[in-house]
């Protein structure tokens, strides 16, 4: 029986009660199995592409015309011809071919564990390719390759956005050059870019140290949300664009803009200048120790939270502004970063703070029983068969209506 015939039968049958559940479970299982097979197939395809390009370099005569020994230019022509050959056969852009082959080569040579996992279909293509990109941003054969490789396999099941976030944090920690040094170099290329677009539009972009960019974003976002009153016809995107432009062009009155603060989580030893352990900027991720120390000491719109050097638990929430409920909220917002439903990326500050164990049934108002949930997932928790439990360290264990168990860790500090 063909797939289509089955679907036709399924739709026309009176699925109800346990039959409907059986059918759903069967289709869920099928979707899961096929996802693994798709990853396997893509790994095989990427390996084949990389092999074709490697062979084109070893035997340029197959792809290029030249006399005697090939020059560097002949090799380049052969490589480009092989890329184009693949692109046409596969109906994809040449840039895509080159990228996929490069990613396969990177994974094969620098992340053998992840590569094997990818070949087995046990890590998604998105996550495997993310690791390849992270490796690409490090010096060749960096000493941290094997650490990143092993961690990627451990974290293989994370949703792509979470996986990317973990990899970015690990990259900052494991990079062979100190973050301070890299940040100094990168900060030297800060700039404003303007790109002309059709229809009388243009982009204006700022490449800035993350702390400045995040603070500017928060200010624009808060002012835009302040204007989003009932009856306002502009979307949040439009409001942010208008507010940002007004601020820069001088039409906006700074007195009326809501004051914002950005949390910065600083390991104790980093604050004392005794360690280069990165700090965490709310809404962004890891930042270098110099910047964190400067923000913690001088900048009024940054809110400092200290962590214990060994356990990373919170030691002290800025004493000057200590108010238990507000500070608990602020700490949880930093801990969670986003909605805590597995894979959801909605920013914590736009989420509800939910009692994991129902407050009405004795659940405590404490860090170990609170977690941010987006309105969508808050509703699912209360109104669907999704179930959640909170363990030590704020780890949430979600059980799907059909029994699939997943965990949602807070982001690493
Ligand atoms: Zn959510």
């Amino acid at each position: 029986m063909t797939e289509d015939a089955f679907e036709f039968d399924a739709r026309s049958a009176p699925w109800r009660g346990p039959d409907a559940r059986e059918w759903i479970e069967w289709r869920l299982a099928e979707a899961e199995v096929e996802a693994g097979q798709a990853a396997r197939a893509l790994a095989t395809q990427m390996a084949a592409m990389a092999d074709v390009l490697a062979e084109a370099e070893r035997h340029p005569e197959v792809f290029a015309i030249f006399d005697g020994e090939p020059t560097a230019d002949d090799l380049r022509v052969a490589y480009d011809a092989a890329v184009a050959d693949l692109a046409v056969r596969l109906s994809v852009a040449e840039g895509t071919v080159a990228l996929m082959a490069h990613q396969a080569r990177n994974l094969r040579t620098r992340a053998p564990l992840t590569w094997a996992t990818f070949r087995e279909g046990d890590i998604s293509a998105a996550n495997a390719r993310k690791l390849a990109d992270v490796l690409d941003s490090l010096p060749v054969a960096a000493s941290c390759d094997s650490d990143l490789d092993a961690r990627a396999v451990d974290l293989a099941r994370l949703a792509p956005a979470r996986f990317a976030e973990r990899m970015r944090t690990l990259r900052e920690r494991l990079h062979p050059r100190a973050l301070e040094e890299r940040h100094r170099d990168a900060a030297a290329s800060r700039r404003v870019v303007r790109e002309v677009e059709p229809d009388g539009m243009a982009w204006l972009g700022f490449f800035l140290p993350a702390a400045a960019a995040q603070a500017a974003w928060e200010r624009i976002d808060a002012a835009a949300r302040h204007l989003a009153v009932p009856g306002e016809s502009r979307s949040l995107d439009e409001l942010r664009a208008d507010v940002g432009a007004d601020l820069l062009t001088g039409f906006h009155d700074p007195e009326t803009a809501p004051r914002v603060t950005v949390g910065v989580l600083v390991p104790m030893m980093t604050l004392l200048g005794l360690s280069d352990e990165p700090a965490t900027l709310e809404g962004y991720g890891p930042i270098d120790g110099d910047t964190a120390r400067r923000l913690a000491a001088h900048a009024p719109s940054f809110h400092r939270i200290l962590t214990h050097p060994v356990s990373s638990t919170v030691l002290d929430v800025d004493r000057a502004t200590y108010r238990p409920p507000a500070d608990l909220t602020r700490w949880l917002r930093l801990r969670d970063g986003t909605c805590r439903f597995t894979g959801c990326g909605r920013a914590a500050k736009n989420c509800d703070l939910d009692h994991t164990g129902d407050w009405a049934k004795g659940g405590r108002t404490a860090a170990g029983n609170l977690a941010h949930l987006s309105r969508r997932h808050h509703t699912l928790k209360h109104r669907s068969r999704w179930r959640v439990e909170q363990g030590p360290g704020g780890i949430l264990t979600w059980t799907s209506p059909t029994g699939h168990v997943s965990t949602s860790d807070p982001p690493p500090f």
Side-chain angles (χ1 to χ4, degrees), residues 180-181 183-184 270 276 287-295:
E180 271 85 359
E181 218 180 291
H183 179 69
R184 265 197 305 276
T270 301
D276 290 320
I287 56 169
D288 69 275
D290 275 349
T291 305
R293 280 188 289 274
R294 194 162 45 73
L295 295 179

Side-chain angles (χ1 to χ4, degrees), residues 339 341 344 374 377:
C339 165
F341 187 79
C344 181
S374 60
H377 294 124

Side-chain angles (χ1 to χ4, degrees), residues 338-347 351 372-378 380 398:
T338 60
C339 165
R340 296 294 312 288
F341 187 79
T342 307
C344 181
R346 177 167 287 267
C351 289
H372 284 89
L373 292 181
S374 60
R375 185 52 54 85
R376 175 188 173 80
H377 294 124
H378 200 174
L380 280 189
W398 288 92

Side-chain angles (χ1 to χ4, degrees), residues 49-64 66 69-72 74-83 101-102 105:
M49 292 160 87
D51 286 345
V52 167
L53 297 186
E55 201 62 8
E57 280 171 333
R58 269 194 295 273
H59 292 285
E61 70 276 8
V62 177
F63 289 97
F66 52 87
E69 282 297 301
T71 63
D74 294 328
L75 291 174
R76 185 77 230 166
V77 168
Y79 181 87
D80 289 348
V83 167
H102 183 67
R105 218 169 24 239

